[in-house]
Amino acid sequence: MDSDDELAACLRDGDEKALRAAYDRYGAAVLYLAQRMLSSRADAEDVVQLTFVAAWTGRDGYDPRRGTLLAWLLGIARRKAIDRMRSAARDDRLTGIVRAQPVPQQEAERPEGIVDRLVVADELGRLPAEQRRTLQLAFFDDLTHPQIAAVTGLPLGTVKSHIRRGMASLRQRWEVDGAASGSRSTGSSRIR
Amino acid sequence: MQHLDPDRLVLLAFAEEPGNDDETVHLARCPGCRHDLASLRQVAEIGAQGPAASDLPAPPERIWLTIEAAIADSGRSPAPVRRAGRQKRRWLIAVAAVVLAVAGTVVADRIVRRAPAETVIARATLAPLATVTAQASGSVRVLSDGEMRVEVHHLPLTAGFHEVWLIDPDDLTRMVAIGNLPDRPGAVLPVPPGIDMNRYRLVDISDEPNDGDATHSGRSLLRGTLTN
């Protein structure tokens, strides 16, 4: 069950070990999304549970041609988190007993933006080691191509080609998975 | 028409080098290169925001246990998730009802025979609601022996009293009154044994008037969610 395709195939066959493997691989990303959408940690953990249970019962609905397993899981998690937010708001309105906000809210990031960040981060983790390292230096350490060449000892031409190829992979994954998880179903349309 | 070199596009996307005149002219004319550059810029921006792998800690094993349990519940054949959820909820309500019924008699007994255990099983940080001074704060620790230690600071003065509640955030009509706070920062209150703190996990401190009405006044001051 090394590749996503194998994992997805085992999952569709009803192999519980595949669900566990998916949880090990993507549970952290699902929790990250849920926690950023919901202010309560307990709610976020509930959403992780609901997501993987829904993935299990709805496993026939996963179509690898429409996006990666991660994007599919994040799409489910996003809907579960929105349900949770709505039901909390509805309860608040209906009861009228305890009117105030459940917990003081922090400024929330758009779920689409969080999904985008998670799929790009996941793709970054899948790049060949040297490509990944050069891109990490560009992203997180804000180094220029010549600085990356100096730090890694790679020729400048190699750094350039690593970054170009790495960026192409990230871009492709973002375009495929952004659409699959519904993160760009509204708003600006994209030209292919 | 000569399109921009892919390496140049990447450099421009990272804003490492400014475009020269030829490139600027070409970009103004060529929607394809413009689109590529815009996409690469966005990807560079998203990538730089992270999360880095180290920002994604593995979720706690207890979540997996609840997933396993829910799946075992629903059997091996695909079944609607909601059914399992409702069954669980009914079960929780039943347990909570029984618990509430026996709580009154058991609490006193528990306090007398309190175990020396000091393990914290759940905690919450309490934050003020919008109507309350931002200085107000508090924290709650629930110990394994069923004690709740409540600490509050800068609560608004009350003509009545401050009361501690545990509320089900999924159904805000469901709540359990835990007790009143004395006129000092710290208090120890017994939690009725068996209360499902995964459900009644929203800690609420309210301002209650002395009007003989035992229900929540609706004036919440501090709130926070219990976590393990």
Side-chain angles (χ1 to χ4, degrees), chain A residues 30-178:
Chain A
V30 170
L31 179 60
Y32 184 93
L33 173 67
Q35 261 207 283
R36 264 144 200 83
M37 290 180 67
L38 302 162
S39 45
S40 131
R41 165 83 187 189
D43 279 356
E45 293 194 2
D46 282 354
V47 164
V48 175
Q49 190 232 2
L50 292 170
T51 301
F52 281 91
V53 174
W56 177 252
T57 52
R59 58 191 182 269
D60 291 335
Y62 171 59
D63 180 357
R65 286 167 305 183
R66 293 180 54 207
T68 60
L69 196 55
L70 172 63
W72 183 62
L73 290 169
L74 291 177
I76 298 173
R78 190 167 150 257
R79 290 191 293 276
K80 297 288 178 200
I82 288 171
D83 285 351
R84 177 58 57 105
M85 284 150 78
R86 283 195 186 129
S87 78
R90 193 172 49 234
D91 286 348
D92 247 1
R93 274 201 310 279
L94 285 179
T95 62
I97 290 175
V98 184
R99 289 174 197 281
Q101 289 277 313
V103 176
Q105 301 272 339
Q106 52 197 19
E107 188 73 32
E109 184 185 357
R110 285 166 45 255
E112 295 80 2
I114 310 167
V115 170
D116 281 349
R117 292 198 286 112
L118 285 166
V119 296
V120 169
D122 181 64
E123 189 63 27
L124 185 64
R126 289 162 188 258
L127 296 178
E130 263 189 15
Q131 269 184 36
R132 183 173 66 239
R133 181 80 191 119
T134 50
L135 269 180
Q136 282 169 338
L137 290 169
F139 285 157
F140 304 132
D141 299 284
D142 213 14
L143 298 187
T144 62
H145 290 30
Q147 287 169 335
I148 294 170
V151 167
T152 57
L154 296 168
L156 183 58
T158 310
V159 169
K160 282 187 175 172
S161 94
H162 280 332
I163 291 193
R164 172 168 47 76
R165 287 185 192 162
M167 284 294 286
S169 302
L170 298 191
R171 180 183 168 190
Q172 201 199 354
R173 173 75 185 277
W174 173 60
E175 290 181 343
V176 170
D177 268 358

Side-chain angles (χ1 to χ4, degrees), chain A residues 14-16 19-21 23-24 27-29 31-32 36 40-46 48-50 52-54 56-60 80 83-84 87-88 91-92 95 97-104 109 113-114 116-118 120-121 124 135 138-140 143-146 148 157 160-161 163-164 167-168 170-171 174-175 184 190-192, chain B residues 6-7 10-11 13-14 16-17 35-37 39-53 55-64 66-68 70-72 74-82 84 88-89 127-130 167-173 175 198 201-202 204 216-220 223-228:
Chain A
D15 181 353
E16 267 182 42
L19 188 72
R20 174 72 215 211
Y23 178 79
D24 287 340
L31 179 60
Y32 184 93
R36 264 144 200 83
S40 131
R41 165 83 187 189
D43 279 356
E45 293 194 2
D46 282 354
V48 175
Q49 190 232 2
L50 292 170
F52 281 91
V53 174
W56 177 252
T57 52
R59 58 191 182 269
D60 291 335
K80 297 288 178 200
D83 285 351
R84 177 58 57 105
S87 78
D91 286 348
D92 247 1
T95 62
I97 290 175
V98 184
R99 289 174 197 281
Q101 289 277 313
V103 176
E109 184 185 357
I114 310 167
D116 281 349
R117 292 198 286 112
L118 285 166
V120 169
L124 185 64
L135 269 180
F139 285 157
F140 304 132
L143 298 187
T144 62
H145 290 30
I148 294 170
K160 282 187 175 172
S161 94
I163 291 193
R164 172 168 47 76
M167 284 294 286
L170 298 191
R171 180 183 168 190
W174 173 60
E175 290 181 343
R184 266 178 298 281
R190 299 165 61 77
I191 310 154
R192 296 287 158 114
Chain B
D7 280 346
V10 169
L11 282 174
F14 278 97
E16 243 177 62
E17 291 174 21
H35 170 67
D36 282 347
L37 178 60
S39 274
L40 287 170
R41 268 201 185 129
Q42 256 184 297
V43 172
E45 207 174 289
I46 294 167
Q49 285 167 4
D55 296 335
L56 291 175
E61 189 64 17
R62 64 170 178 273
I63 305 183
W64 173 255
T66 62
I67 295 168
E68 236 181 3
I71 287 168
S74 71
R76 290 199 158 248
S77 60
V81 186
R82 284 217 185 92
K88 191 176 164 204
R89 168 144 308 184
L129 286 138
I167 301 180
D168 176 359
D170 297 328
D171 178 356
L172 294 176
T173 58
M175 63 186 81
N198 286 319
R201 59 186 182 271
L202 183 60
D204 176 291
H216 196 293
S217 66
R219 284 203 299 281
S220 296
R223 283 192 182 176
T225 303
L226 285 173
T227 54
N228 299 356

Side-chain angles (χ1 to χ4, degrees), chain B residues 2-226:
Chain B
Q2 178 75 44
H3 289 293
L4 292 191
D5 175 66
D7 280 346
R8 284 294 300 165
L9 276 175
V10 169
L11 282 174
L12 294 176
F14 278 97
E16 243 177 62
E17 291 174 21
N20 61 36
D21 290 350
D22 288 351
E23 287 166 344
T24 311
V25 169
H26 177 78
L27 279 171
R29 282 191 198 147
C30 175
C33 283
R34 218 165 41 231
H35 170 67
D36 282 347
L37 178 60
S39 274
L40 287 170
R41 268 201 185 129
Q42 256 184 297
V43 172
E45 207 174 289
I46 294 167
Q49 285 167 4
S54 56
D55 296 335
L56 291 175
E61 189 64 17
R62 64 170 178 273
I63 305 183
W64 173 255
L65 297 177
T66 62
I67 295 168
E68 236 181 3
I71 287 168
D73 214 29
S74 71
R76 290 199 158 248
S77 60
V81 186
R82 284 217 185 92
R83 225 191 70 214
R86 283 211 198 106
Q87 279 173 351
K88 191 176 164 204
R89 168 144 308 184
R90 271 203 295 274
W91 182 80
L92 285 174
I93 290 169
V95 170
V98 172
V99 160
L100 284 173
V102 294
T105 49
V106 181
V107 171
D109 190 39
R110 283 273 294 221
I111 294 170
V112 176
R113 294 186 304 169
R114 186 182 303 146
E118 280 278 297
T119 324
V120 176
I121 55 168
R123 62 183 81 232
T125 304
L126 305 181
L129 286 138
T131 51
V132 179
T133 166
Q135 280 187 309
S137 67
S139 66
V140 166
R141 281 172 304 151
V142 180
L143 306 181
S144 56
D145 61 359
E147 268 184 3
M148 177 187 274
R149 306 239 167 127
V150 185
E151 262 194 48
V152 289
H153 301 284
H154 304 295
L155 273 189
L157 292 176
T158 173
F161 56 95
H162 294 131
E163 186 158 17
V164 182
W165 307 80
L166 285 181
I167 301 180
D168 176 359
D170 297 328
D171 178 356
L172 294 176
T173 58
R174 306 275 163 189
M175 63 186 81
V176 183
I178 300 299
N180 304 341
L181 289 181
D183 218 2
R184 355 175 248 281
V188 177
L189 301 168
V191 179
I195 283 287
D196 177 14
M197 273 184 279
N198 286 319
R199 181 176 180 210
Y200 295 96
R201 59 186 182 271
L202 183 60
V203 182
D204 176 291
I205 295 184
S206 68
D207 181 355
E208 297 293 331
N210 281 314
D211 59 1
D213 181 350
T215 60
H216 196 293
S217 66
R219 284 203 299 281
S220 296
L221 303 173
L222 294 177
R223 283 192 182 176
T225 303
L226 285 173

Side-chain angles (χ1 to χ4, degrees), chain A residues 7-25:
Chain A
L7 203 154
C10 293
L11 189 64
R12 278 200 305 274
D13 288 345
D15 181 353
E16 267 182 42
K17 284 203 281 297
L19 188 72
R20 174 72 215 211
Y23 178 79
D24 287 340
R25 208 172 287 179

